[in-house]
Amino acid sequence: MSFVEYGDTIKDGDTAIVFLGHESMFPVKVQHGSVTQTKYGVIRHSTDLIGKKYGSKVTCSKGGWVFILHPTPELWTMNLPHRTQILYSTDISIITMMLELKPGSIVCESGTGSGSLSHALIRTVAPTGHLYTVEFHQQRAEKAREEFREHGVEHLVTVTNQDVCKNGFGVSSIADAVFLDIPSPWEAIGHAKSALKAEGGRICSFSPCIEQVQRTCLALEESGFTEINTLEILLRVYNVRTVSLQIPDLGKAAEDNSSPGFDSSSPSHQGSSCANLQQGTVQFKSGVPLREVVGHTGYLTFATKS
């Protein structure tokens, strides 16, 4: 099992995603002899998981069932253990596009955090690229190394435990892109410039506060970066559901009454007139926005090394 190479069957030691529903799923490390409790009953790894194909429908001990999914960066973002605040797929997608990442790219990242963006970057640059990620907190750095090893991507990533603002990324003039998610990104702009290749490298900084963005943009300009721009991604989700609306009265009954040959005294015509005047309802599918929408997550500042 690897987050960048798809496998057909579930093996001992794999990380799998137990899917109970779109709003209910969780990761599990498959181990011979282990069991996993769900609201539908027990899943026995030895008999229910190992050797089965990913995507299989597994029946639990109480008769309910779940699906076992192959892990992907997108699923991991939704289910990972939170050691820090993380980036979600909305921001991750624009980051990978605006940094112009592709297989073979060299990327520097700080800080690693919970590894949400890291997994997406690794999948994007695989199989010949590499991610150099720097984490200031020692325990988080060690946990990130452990997860990358368990997920089969340790050959594509180098985790360093140091202060990027003081010591940089540990590489020079090789990176195609640099990503910063730290409290004071303006202090790391010089090290980012040193890590980027001679010309054309891209940098992205994620900051929740506009004051951080202002200082970062000034530092980028002073360091000679060009094409500096900041954007904010706001996601609005719609639920598709059935709604009922009243049919409007467009005056059809009045038109019928005035038409030639209409006999209002006729019982059949009286019944038709009454039916037309009755207001009915019609049901149809409609997209309705959520009542509570996740708003601001952070500002993304991009620039190019000139």
Side-chain angles (χ1 to χ4, degrees), residues 239-245 282-288:
N239 278 340
V240 177
R241 67 183 188 186
T242 301
V243 297
S244 297
L245 289 181
V282 62
Q283 292 185 333
F284 61 95
K285 296 291 184 181
S286 176
V288 181

Side-chain angles (χ1 to χ4, degrees), residues 100-121:
E100 303 174 0
L101 301 182
K102 59 186 181 299
S105 296
I106 306 297
V107 187
C108 292
E109 175 197 26
S110 183
T112 313
S114 300
S116 173
L117 177 64
S118 304
H119 282 81
L121 294 176

Side-chain angles (χ1 to χ4, degrees), residues 3 5 28 34 36 38 42 105 149 184 188 199 207 223 268 286:
F3 272 54
E5 296 176 1
V28 61
S34 297
T36 297
T38 74
V42 173
S105 296
R149 183 170 58 254
S184 53
E199 187 176 355
S207 296
S223 295
S268 61
S286 176

Side-chain angles (χ1 to χ4, degrees), residues 15-215:
T15 298
I17 305 297
V18 179
F19 180 89
L20 292 83
H22 289 290
E23 301 297 328
S24 180
M25 58 183 119
F26 59 89
V28 61
K29 185 174 181 180
V30 179
Q31 293 179 314
H32 185 77
S34 297
V35 297
T36 297
Q37 296 282 351
T38 74
K39 63 181 180 181
Y40 301 126
V42 173
I43 301 173
R44 295 175 176 83
H45 294 198
S46 300
T47 57
D48 297 334
L49 298 184
I50 297 176
K52 299 289 182 66
K53 286 191 173 183
Y54 279 107
S56 296
K57 183 179 178 180
V58 173
T59 303
C60 305
S61 62
K62 293 182 180 179
W65 47 266
V66 299
F67 287 106
I68 308 300
L69 306 181
H70 193 285
T72 65
E74 290 80 9
L75 288 174
W76 186 245
T77 291
M78 297 170 63
N79 295 281
L80 58 78
H82 285 232
R83 300 183 289 273
T84 60
Q85 291 290 333
I86 69 169
L87 291 179
Y88 290 93
S89 298
T90 306
D91 290 312
I92 291 173
S93 60
I94 198 71
I95 289 169
T96 54
M97 184 190 76
M98 294 292 287
L99 290 181
E100 303 174 0
L101 301 182
K102 59 186 181 299
S105 296
I106 306 297
V107 187
C108 292
E109 175 197 26
S110 183
T112 313
S114 300
S116 173
L117 177 64
S118 304
H119 282 81
L121 294 176
I122 292 169
R123 196 263 308 273
T124 303
V125 304
T128 56
H130 201 85
L131 171 66
Y132 295 89
T133 182
V134 178
E135 173 56 52
F136 175 78
H137 194 276
Q138 183 178 356
Q139 290 181 333
R140 289 201 292 263
E142 293 174 354
K143 187 61 179 178
R145 289 193 192 97
E146 179 184 341
E147 286 180 349
F148 293 142
R149 183 170 58 254
E150 291 177 352
H151 298 165
V153 296
E154 71 277 9
H155 61 291
L156 296 170
V157 57
T158 300
V159 181
T160 305
N161 173 221
Q162 63 186 28
D163 185 351
V164 70
C165 296
K166 295 180 179 179
N167 307 114
F169 294 93
V171 296
S172 179
S173 303
I174 65 169
D176 297 288
V178 170
F179 176 79
L180 298 174
D181 183 7
I182 55 178
S184 53
W186 55 88
E187 296 181 2
I189 297 300
H191 293 296
K193 185 176 181 180
S194 299
L196 287 168
K197 59 186 181 182
E199 187 176 355
R202 295 278 287 165
I203 184 173
C204 174
S205 174
F206 177 90
S207 296
C209 302
I210 195 64
E211 291 81 7
Q212 294 170 301
V213 174
Q214 292 171 332
R215 295 190 65 175

